[in-house]
């Protein structure tokens, strides 16, 4: 997938924002003289809204926040909850200036030039308390009020703390020493809580001692440097293995020399016997000389072999340590990403009106930095799923006799050379019957297939591409995509595996098994023809040696029966285009693989063995080679290609005549097309570039009315992507119009908007939208995946 | 008073001399730099009966002994990959790529390999023989001769005279275009 660069769109945003800001500035002035100008108020609200949306799309969150506060106030003025007064203008100008500054500086508030918190509290107070400027001014001085608005609970606590510990100090100071540490902590907390303003500066004013230890404890190194170091280390390892081989060869040479020495000893004694008869008189001196030198060589050789073997085995220990320590350079504790989850779960719980107690265990478990980066998204995804689909709302839980508060646990631990991450909830569990039902309804399975499926297999259907039991796609637990993405992430990128255990009514456990580092995985070495390939064991179900008689032909395809299931077979040599070796032995070696809900058997020519391998990329020249994920260098230095399981499965399914699932689209239908209805220039162009990069034909419309007109005139598109707030015809109105027109109703409609409230989502659902993506979670993958899923 | 005057005069003379020296030095340096800027070092190599060259600045190393591992699914001009001190490098056969035959790997000796680099991308090209390094004035690079084959033309960015021979200068950007195979991604 082509990555797009948000920063490229900042320029476009600046252009657009300049115009809008100018209009808003003029608007404020006009409004001062004409505070009841309804049309102008509407206009200003829309402009603020557009700035909010566009800035968020290009990642300028601070601007989006300021625009959001402005919009809030304008909504109140429009709805008559508040009257516009000239005093408000000052705050408006300040806010607009802040946006101008941020837009000019690409959103960076360098050196805190702007007092954004102060601005926020002023605007918040304005929105809360109407036109009472005195109140707003008060808020300005008492920043605590802003803190209170954001987090009411901690404030109370902090006040108590300020009062109590001081007393404690008075009481306990003369007491025993045990409380010293406790006091110190409390004192620190007192100062921090009493002066929240100085918190940031306190962070900077570290005492010299603290500063020193920090400087000494860590250094920052480019990961590329660590990687090239690891490259060299693995070469040292290979060199070491070679040295060990040499030592062994040396021992063979030594035993050969010993044999020669023994043969010589026999000859010598025979010569000595001959010497008595006087036949070899002239040779005696040479014989003695040779005898002496052979004895010396023999001694020297055995001494050398002994010392060399010792050296090699000593180095071997060091090299093993070196490799281990080297790998650890890339390791970070899981907490590096885990620490953001409590907040995320709390927010999600609030949004879905669930009560959740979230626990983390094993946050100190160390993982490869790359693994940590890759694992974050799947984990967020699973946790959203737990909160949305897993844990029931408090009332339901009470009815079921469960505690109102649901439990979600995130746990990491190391088991040998792999890391296990488990996410457990005590929610509703996955009902295999519901999954079956849904699969049949969506045409993934026939009734017969579904009923032949075991409960366990049925549960795994949730990992099927595009499979979701939710009625409408929201960005939560879905973001428009199913659990299949999690599976692909874990299996394809991390070369791990994903399991689910679930009991209806009791809860669900997702278990991610991932390699300790991305650089080292377990692999099965197989032989195809004359060549050896490595296959990551993560997705291998089993290895079999079957009697050729067990391979049956069904509709011209070779299959085997395993545990009441039919597994299609393909020859790996055919997929790889590698010449086959003449068959040896009677049994056919087969590797069965499950990937994304499909099972396949690959016929190979032999199993070589299972071992740990170091993954190396094919390099920047061979950027992406079909079926090959990389290479590994074996102990003796030989290079072995590593097979890419997802590629193999795709190619195998095409070859064995399967459709690649109901999700596949026939290429002959031509490029997919999409209509984008969006009044913001920045957002429109950004969405256009995303779709064009993905090979879509893109049509655009500046509002709902124009979009609808285009469709009515006969424009054929595979999907419509629309904003909500647009002049002339809103996105909701457009959706309703499309969904009530028999000739258009089959076109999927995807709403992309900054409206995030539940009622607004409900309105979108009511209008008949197929998906609802909010700009705050917007990214190109979400958008593309959602659209792709819907147009299948 | 007078002392200071003399001192000032002395320092003035010194300064003048210093300035002149510096100017002389910089003039001398300029000519050296100018000369360097006008020379182009080229590494010559032979494919079949034809001589070609690459800029020495685009060459990272040359190696002779290697074990090629074939990789399935690559285009025919990629002979495989090799392990160069822990780094994996692709082996490109420029003859196959330019449709002028193929470099034979069956000989007694392995064909020498030249590692060419363009930014992050590197490959080792195998050739029949490595020749000298030639230095030529950089303005003597001429457009490629027009009689060469269309398939070959894309890989030749110019031609230069080395001695009596006309030598094609390899277009390394084209030769190092990343290889992507397979339907997905």
């Amino acid at each position: 997938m082509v990555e797009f660069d948000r920063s490229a769109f900042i320029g476009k945003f600046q252009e657009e924002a300049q115009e809008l800001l100018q209009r808003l500035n003029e608007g404020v002035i006009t409004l001062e003289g004409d505070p009841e100008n309804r049309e102008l108020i509407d206009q200003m609200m829309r402009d603020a809204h557009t700035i909010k949306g566009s800035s968020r799309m290009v990642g300028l969150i601070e601007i989006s926040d300021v625009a959001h506060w402005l919009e809030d106030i304008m909504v109140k003025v429009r709805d008559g909850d508040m009257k516009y007064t000239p005093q408000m203008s000052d705050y408006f100008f300040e806010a607009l200036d802040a946006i101008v500054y941020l837009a000019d500086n690409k959103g960076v508030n360098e050196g805190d030039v702007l007092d954004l918190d102060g601005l926020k509290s002023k605007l918040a107070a304005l929105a809360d308390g109407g036109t009472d400027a005195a109140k707003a001014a008060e808020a300005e001085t008492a920043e605590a009020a802003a803190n209170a608005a954001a987090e009411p609970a901690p404030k109370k606590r902090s006040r108590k703390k300020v009062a109590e510990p001081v007393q404690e100090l008075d009481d306990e100071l003369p007491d025993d020493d045990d409380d010293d540490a406790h006091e110190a902590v409390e004192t620190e907390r007192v100062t921090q809580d009493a002066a929240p303003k100085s918190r940031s500066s306190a962070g900077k004013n570290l005492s010299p001692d603290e500063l020193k230890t920090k400087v000494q404890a860590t250094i920052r190194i480019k990961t590329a440097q660590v990687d090239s170091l690891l490259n060299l280390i693995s070469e040292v390892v290979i060199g070491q293995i070679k040295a060990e081989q040499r030592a062994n060869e040396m021992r063979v040479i030594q035993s050969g020399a010993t044999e020669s020495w023994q043969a010589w000893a026999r000859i010598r004694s025979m010569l000595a016997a001959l010497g008595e008869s006087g036949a070899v008189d002239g040779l005696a001196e040479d014989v003695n000389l040779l005898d002496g030198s052979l004895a010396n060589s023999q001694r020297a050789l055995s001494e050398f072999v002994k010392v060399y073997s010792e050296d090699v085995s000593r180095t071997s220990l060091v090299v093993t340590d070196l490799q281990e320590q080297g790998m650890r350079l890339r390791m970070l504790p899981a907490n590096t990403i885990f620490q953001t989850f409590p907040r995320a779960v709390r927010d999600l719980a609030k949004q879905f009106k669930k009560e959740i107690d979230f626990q983390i265990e094993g946050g100190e478990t160390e993982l490869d930095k790359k693994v940590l980066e890759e694992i974050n998204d799947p984990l967020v995804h699973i946790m959203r799923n737990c909160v949305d689909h897993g844990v029931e709302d408090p009332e339901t839980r009470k009815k079921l006799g469960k505690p109102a508060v649901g439990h979600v646990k995130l746990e990491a631990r190391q088991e040998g050379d792999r890391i296990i991450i488990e996410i457990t909830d005590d929610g509703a569990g996955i009902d295999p019957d519901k999954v079956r039902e849904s699969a049949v309804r969506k045409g993934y399975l026939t009734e017969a297939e579904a009923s032949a499926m075991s409960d366990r297999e049925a549960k795994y259907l949730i990992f099927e591409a595009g499979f979701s039991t939710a009625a409408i796609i929201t960005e939560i637990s879905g973001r428009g995509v199913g659990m299949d993405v999690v599976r692909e992430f874990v299996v394809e990128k991390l070369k791990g595996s994903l399991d689910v255990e679930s009991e209806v009514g009791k809860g669900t456990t997702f278990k991610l098994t991932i390699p300790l580092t991305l650089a080292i995985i377990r692999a099965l070495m197989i032989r195809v023809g004359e060549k050896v390939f490595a296959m990551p064991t993560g997705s291998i179900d089993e290895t079999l040696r079957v009697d050729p008689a067990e391979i049956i032909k069904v509709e011209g395809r070779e299959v085997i029966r395993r545990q009441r299931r039919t597994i299609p077979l393909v020859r790996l040599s055919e997929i790889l285009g590698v010449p086959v070796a003449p068959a040896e032995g009677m049994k056919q070696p087969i590797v069965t693989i499950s990937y994304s809900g499909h099972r396949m058997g690959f016929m190979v020519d032999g199993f070589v063995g299972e071992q740990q391998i170091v993954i190396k990329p094919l390099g920047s020249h061979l950027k992406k080679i079909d079926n090959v994920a990389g290479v590994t260098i074996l102990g003796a230095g030989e290079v072995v290609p590593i097979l890419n399981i997802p590629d193999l499965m795709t190619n195998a399914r095409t070859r064995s005549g399967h459709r690649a699932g109901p999700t596949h689209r026939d290429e002959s239908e031509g490029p997919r097309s999409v209509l984008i209805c969006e009044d913001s220039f920045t957002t429109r162009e950004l969405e256009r570039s995303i779709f064009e990069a993905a090979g879509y034909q893109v049509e655009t419309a500046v509002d709902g009315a124009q979009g609808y007109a285009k469709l009515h005139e006969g424009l054929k598109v595979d999907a419509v992507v629309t904003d909500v707030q647009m002049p002339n015809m809103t996105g909701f109105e457009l959706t309703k119009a499309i969904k009530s027109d028999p000739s258009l109703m089959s076109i999927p409609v995807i709403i992309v908007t900054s409206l995030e409230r539940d009622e607004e989502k409900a309105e979108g659902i009511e209008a008949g939208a197929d998906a609802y993506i909010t700009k705050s979670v917007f990214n190109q993958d979400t958008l593309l995946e959602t659209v792709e899923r819907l147009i299948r | 008073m007078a002392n200071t005057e003399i001192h000032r005069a002395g320092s003035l003379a010194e300064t003048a001399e210093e300035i002149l020296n510096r100017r002389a030095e910089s003039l001398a340096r300029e000519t050296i730099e100018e000369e360097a800027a006008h020379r182009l070092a080229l590494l010559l190599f032979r494919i079949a009966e034809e001589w070609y060259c690459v800029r020495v600045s685009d060459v990272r190393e040359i190696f002779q002994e290697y074990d090629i591992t074939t990789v399935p699914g690559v285009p025919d001009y990629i002979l495989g990959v090799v392990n160069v001190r822990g780094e994996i490098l692709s082996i490109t056969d420029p003859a196959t790529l330019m449709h002028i035959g193929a470099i034979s790997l069956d000989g007694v000796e392995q064909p020498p390999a030249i590692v060419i680099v363009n930014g992050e991308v590197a490959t080792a090209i195998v050739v029949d023989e490595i020749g000298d390094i030639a230095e030529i004035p950089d303005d003597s690079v001429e457009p490629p001769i027009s009689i060469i084959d269309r398939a070959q033309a894309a890989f030749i960015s110019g031609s230069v005279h080395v001695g009596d021979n006309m030598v094609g200068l390899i277009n390394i950007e084209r030769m190092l275009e990343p290889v992507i195979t397979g339907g997905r991604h």
Side-chain angles (χ1 to χ4, degrees):
Chain A
M1 201 172 280
V2 185
E3 276 296 319
F4 82 101
D5 182 10
R6 267 173 207 267
S7 63
F9 285 90
I10 290 183
K12 284 219 169 73
F13 167 73
Q14 285 167 334
E15 258 171 61
E16 182 186 34
Q18 198 178 7
E19 198 182 303
L20 294 170
L21 287 167
Q22 180 62 28
R23 205 153 68 187
L24 278 167
N25 269 309
E26 285 164 10
V28 174
I29 296 167
T30 318
L31 215 52
E32 275 191 346
D34 183 10
E36 302 284 326
N37 189 333
R38 181 62 205 246
E39 212 172 294
L40 183 61
I41 291 169
D42 272 351
Q43 172 72 52
M44 287 173 68
M45 189 192 73
R46 268 204 309 275
D47 288 350
H49 180 82
T50 306
I51 292 178
K52 174 174 101 172
S54 309
S55 55
R56 197 166 258 187
M57 294 286 277
V58 295
L60 300 175
I61 303 303
E62 286 82 4
I63 295 185
S64 168
D65 286 349
V66 178
H68 176 74
W69 305 327
L70 276 185
E71 191 193 352
D72 267 4
I73 297 172
M74 291 311 297
V75 169
K76 291 207 167 144
V77 173
R78 181 197 62 181
D79 295 350
D81 294 345
M82 195 187 277
K83 271 204 175 351
Y84 190 89
T85 61
Q87 293 102 298
M88 285 164 76
S89 302
D90 292 340
Y91 295 120
F92 266 71
F93 284 135
E94 193 179 337
L96 292 173
D97 288 348
I99 295 177
V100 171
Y101 177 83
L102 287 168
D104 287 349
N105 291 286
K106 299 201 163 81
V108 184
N109 187 11
E110 182 77 51
D112 288 330
V113 174
L114 297 175
D115 177 16
L116 286 177
D117 287 342
L119 181 62
K120 181 187 174 179
S121 36
K122 279 187 235 170
L123 292 173
L126 198 57
D128 273 357
T131 56
D132 193 347
K135 217 172 184 178
E138 195 183 310
E140 194 176 346
T141 46
E143 240 191 287
N147 290 348
E151 291 170 285
K155 191 201 152 205
K156 259 185 213 157
R157 221 186 304 134
S158 76
R159 228 183 243 156
K160 238 164 96 191
K161 280 258 167 61
V162 175
E164 278 173 5
V166 176
Q167 259 180 6
E168 268 172 44
L169 279 179
D170 285 347
D171 294 341
E172 290 175 13
L173 248 172
D175 276 340
D176 54 22
D177 295 338
D178 285 355
D179 278 305
D180 272 355
H182 169 71
E183 278 166 23
V185 171
E186 284 289 5
T187 320
E188 202 170 277
R189 219 181 281 162
V190 171
T191 31
Q192 271 193 10
D193 278 336
K197 255 187 175 172
S198 64
R199 204 174 291 170
S200 58
S201 57
K204 286 170 198 159
N205 292 342
L206 290 169
S207 71
D209 275 351
E210 278 173 281
L211 216 54
K212 214 164 159 192
T213 35
K214 269 199 183 134
V215 167
Q216 286 169 346
T218 57
I219 52 167
R220 284 161 97 78
I221 307 173
K222 287 199 187 85
T223 35
Q225 272 176 308
V226 175
D227 288 345
S228 69
L229 183 69
L230 293 181
N231 242 353
L232 294 173
I233 290 177
S234 56
E235 279 305 287
V236 171
V237 171
I238 291 166
Q240 176 61 24
I241 290 166
K242 284 184 174 164
E244 281 165 26
Q245 281 171 358
R246 299 290 170 271
N248 284 333
E249 285 161 21
M250 209 83 97
R251 276 191 281 275
V252 175
I253 293 170
Q254 192 198 357
S255 65
T258 308
E259 271 175 33
S260 311
W261 170 251
Q262 283 159 355
W264 164 248
R266 285 194 299 274
I267 291 170
R268 193 187 48 194
S269 54
M270 280 191 280
L271 281 175
L274 283 174
E276 277 163 22
S277 65
V280 285
D281 268 356
L283 286 179
E285 203 174 318
D286 284 346
V287 166
N288 283 336
L289 199 70
L290 182 61
D291 191 46
S293 94
L294 278 177
N296 276 340
S297 310
Q298 175 69 9
R299 233 188 346 266
L301 180 64
S302 65
E303 181 64 17
F304 175 81
V305 170
K306 182 169 161 274
V307 172
Y308 183 68
S309 300
E310 280 169 12
D311 285 351
V312 167
S313 59
R314 205 174 309 123
T315 321
S316 174
L317 292 176
V318 177
V319 169
T320 310
D321 267 9
L322 182 66
Q323 190 180 23
E324 217 164 85
Q325 293 294 330
M327 290 301 175
R328 287 198 56 188
L329 287 180
R330 292 183 53 100
M331 307 286 261
L332 288 173
N335 263 339
T336 328
I337 58 164
F338 282 10
Q339 62 198 10
T340 62
F341 291 155
R343 170 71 198 274
V345 170
R346 197 191 119 230
D347 290 354
L348 282 170
K350 223 173 176 181
Q351 189 169 351
F352 287 104
K353 303 191 174 61
K354 310 265 170 94
E355 283 173 37
I356 287 173
D357 171 47
F358 181 63
Q359 247 182 305
I360 291 179
E361 271 178 33
E364 70 286 348
T365 313
E366 287 197 329
L367 281 90
D368 190 289
K369 178 172 180 288
K370 189 87 183 126
V371 174
L372 275 179
E373 282 165 7
E374 301 283 3
I375 201 74
N376 189 49
D377 282 1
L379 285 181
V380 170
H381 207 92
I382 293 173
M383 259 172 309
R384 281 176 164 159
N385 205 295
C386 286
V387 178
D388 190 0
H389 299 317
V391 177
E392 311 91 333
D393 57 72
E395 289 76 45
T396 315
R397 289 181 68 89
K398 273 183 218 149
K399 266 182 225 151
L400 292 166
K402 289 179 172 182
V405 179
H407 286 271
V408 174
K409 192 169 88 178
L410 171 65
E411 190 189 353
R413 62 176 188 274
Q414 185 176 345
E415 280 181 10
D417 59 350
R418 20 196 61 201
I419 297 285
I420 314 286
I421 298 180
E422 282 183 348
I423 300 104
T424 309
D425 69 56
D426 63 348
I430 300 167
D431 185 343
D433 289 334
K434 263 193 192 159
V435 179
R436 278 197 197 96
E437 213 175 276
S438 177
V440 171
R441 199 175 55 240
K442 289 181 180 172
Y444 279 95
L445 294 175
T446 63
E447 290 274 5
E449 279 173 325
S451 52
M453 211 170 236
S454 72
D455 281 0
R456 194 177 162 76
E457 282 173 320
K459 281 177 201 161
Y460 276 83
L461 277 175
I462 60 165
F463 301 124
E464 187 79 29
F467 195 91
S468 169
T469 48
I472 175 172
I473 307 163
T474 63
E475 76 275 13
I476 315 296
S477 77
R479 306 187 321 186
V481 287
M483 293 292 287
D484 60 312
V485 175
V486 175
R487 186 177 167 97
E488 280 188 30
F489 240 103
V490 172
V491 177
E492 184 166 346
K493 288 210 167 150
L494 298 174
K495 314 268 187 297
S497 63
L498 178 61
D499 272 320
V500 57
E501 262 167 49
S502 181
E503 203 175 325
V504 179
K506 291 261 175 73
T508 309
T509 297
F510 288 99
K511 182 175 169 188
L512 283 68
T513 308
I514 44 180
L516 198 52
T517 80
L518 271 191
I520 300 180
I521 56 162
R522 289 204 75 76
L524 175 70
M525 312 300 280
I526 48 158
R527 198 168 47 75
V528 181
E530 304 286 320
K531 311 265 180 220
V532 174
F533 294 95
M535 212 178 224
T537 50
S539 36
I540 295 179
D541 280 342
E542 49 183 353
T543 54
L544 316 163
R545 284 175 202 276
V546 304
D547 207 296
E550 284 179 56
I551 300 176
I552 26 182
K553 287 229 171 187
V554 178
E555 296 164 28
R557 275 181 271 134
E558 289 178 306
V559 300
I560 46 165
R561 297 283 299 168
R562 278 305 277 180
Q563 294 137 2
R564 299 189 298 119
R565 275 195 75 179
T566 305
I567 304 171
L569 296 179
V570 284
R571 285 190 187 281
L572 192 49
S573 57
E574 271 179 41
I575 289 167
L576 297 179
V578 172
V580 272
E584 40 184 271
M586 289 301 291
K587 301 246 180 177
Q588 169 67 52
I590 291 172
V591 184
T592 66
I593 291 174
S594 278
Y595 177 73
S596 196
H598 300 289
R599 213 159 163 213
M600 275 273 173
F602 291 88
M603 293 188 269
V604 300
D605 292 327
F607 301 130
V608 179
E610 197 186 331
Q611 69 178 90
Q612 285 212 347
I613 58 166
V614 177
I615 302 175
K616 284 172 176 280
L618 279 168
S620 48
H621 186 223
L622 305 183
K623 208 166 180 187
K624 166 78 185 85
I625 301 300
D626 203 18
N627 297 325
V628 182
V631 292
T632 186
I633 302 175
L634 295 189
E638 66 262 43
V639 180
V640 169
I642 303 167
L643 298 175
N644 179 331
I645 301 290
D647 278 5
L648 283 185
M649 290 301 278
T650 309
N651 292 330
R653 288 170 60 74
T654 320
R655 188 164 294 261
S656 70
H658 274 256
R659 286 185 304 136
T663 63
H664 203 68
R665 204 187 132 85
D666 193 350
E667 293 297 328
S668 66
E669 286 169 41
R672 296 157 296 187
S673 56
V674 62
L675 172 67
I676 297 170
C677 303
E678 169 68 64
D679 59 334
S680 153
F681 173 67
T682 310
T683 308
R684 199 165 62 230
E685 286 310 303
L686 192 141
E687 287 175 356
R688 177 207 287 275
S689 87
I690 289 173
F691 280 109
E692 286 184 345
Y696 281 78
Q697 254 171 19
V698 179
E699 284 286 336
T700 57
V702 296
D703 58 39
Q706 194 190 31
Y708 189 63
K710 283 192 174 187
L711 289 173
H712 236 244
E713 284 158 17
L715 174 70
K716 291 267 174 286
V717 289
D718 294 314
V720 174
V721 173
T722 178
D723 187 19
V724 173
Q725 298 206 327
M726 292 182 289
N728 299 324
M729 186 185 223
T730 69
F732 290 153
E733 288 161 358
L734 174 67
T735 308
K736 260 182 227 147
I738 291 175
K739 291 299 171 187
S740 54
D741 185 331
S743 65
L744 301 175
M745 61 194 301
S746 64
I747 302 175
V749 178
I750 298 95
I751 292 179
V752 179
T753 172
S754 34
L755 300 176
E756 299 191 357
R757 290 210 310 274
D758 285 346
E759 306 88 82
E760 286 150 351
K761 269 179 204 160
E763 201 180 336
I765 295 167
E766 219 168 90
D770 296 271
Y772 194 102
I773 301 173
T774 52
K775 286 177 184 170
S776 57
V777 299
F778 176 87
N779 68 46
Q780 62 166 346
D781 292 349
T782 317
L783 184 62
L784 283 174
E785 277 158 10
T786 308
V787 172
E788 259 159 33
R789 202 197 123 176
L790 288 167
I791 60 184
R792 278 158 190 167
Chain B
M1 214 29 195
N3 269 351
T4 37
E5 200 67 56
I6 292 163
H7 182 73
R8 197 184 292 162
S11 76
L12 238 164
E14 274 168 31
T15 323
E17 200 178 333
E18 230 181 85
I19 290 170
L20 285 175
N21 277 341
R22 221 179 293 139
R23 203 173 288 168
E25 256 171 48
S26 83
L27 278 172
R29 204 180 304 132
E30 262 167 39
T31 53
I32 293 166
E33 272 170 13
E34 241 168 78
E35 220 161 62
H38 286 276
R39 307 290 298 175
L40 192 62
L42 301 169
L43 175 67
L44 298 173
F45 58 88
R46 182 174 60 82
I47 299 174
E49 300 309 314
E50 301 275 343
W51 284 89
Y52 296 88
C53 64
V54 285
R55 286 185 183 83
V56 168
S57 55
D58 297 332
V59 175
R60 199 179 70 190
E61 64 183 296
I62 291 169
F63 56 83
Q64 184 85 49
E65 276 177 33
Y66 49 91
D67 288 319
I68 297 184
T69 302
T70 54
V71 176
V74 292
D76 59 353
Y77 61 87
I78 301 292
L79 302 180
V81 292
V82 289
N83 171 18
V84 183
R85 294 183 302 281
E87 187 197 0
I88 298 298
L89 271 180
S90 60
I91 296 270
T92 302
D93 176 356
T96 308
L97 184 55
M98 297 194 288
H99 299 285
I100 48 171
I103 303 289
S104 166
L105 292 171
D106 304 330
V108 190
E109 269 187 25
Q110 275 179 308
I114 304 169
V115 181
I116 53 169
V117 195
N118 179 30
E120 295 277 285
V121 191
T123 190
I125 55 170
V126 284
V127 299
D128 284 319
E129 185 189 346
I130 290 181
D132 291 333
I133 288 177
E135 282 212 354
I136 57 154
D138 68 350
D139 53 7
S140 66
V141 179
E142 292 166 17
I145 36 175
S146 54
I147 50 160
I148 51 172
D149 201 274
R150 174 87 61 83
Q152 202 186 338
F155 298 95
I156 306 294
S157 61
S159 50
V160 290
H161 285 281
V162 177
D164 298 334
N165 288 326
M166 195 67 166
V167 176
L169 177 62
I170 297 288
N171 176 354
I172 65 152
E173 283 85 16
R174 179 68 186 81
M175 195 152 280
L176 281 167
E177 252 172 38
V179 179
I180 298 170
T181 68
R184 296 171 355 122
H185 303 282

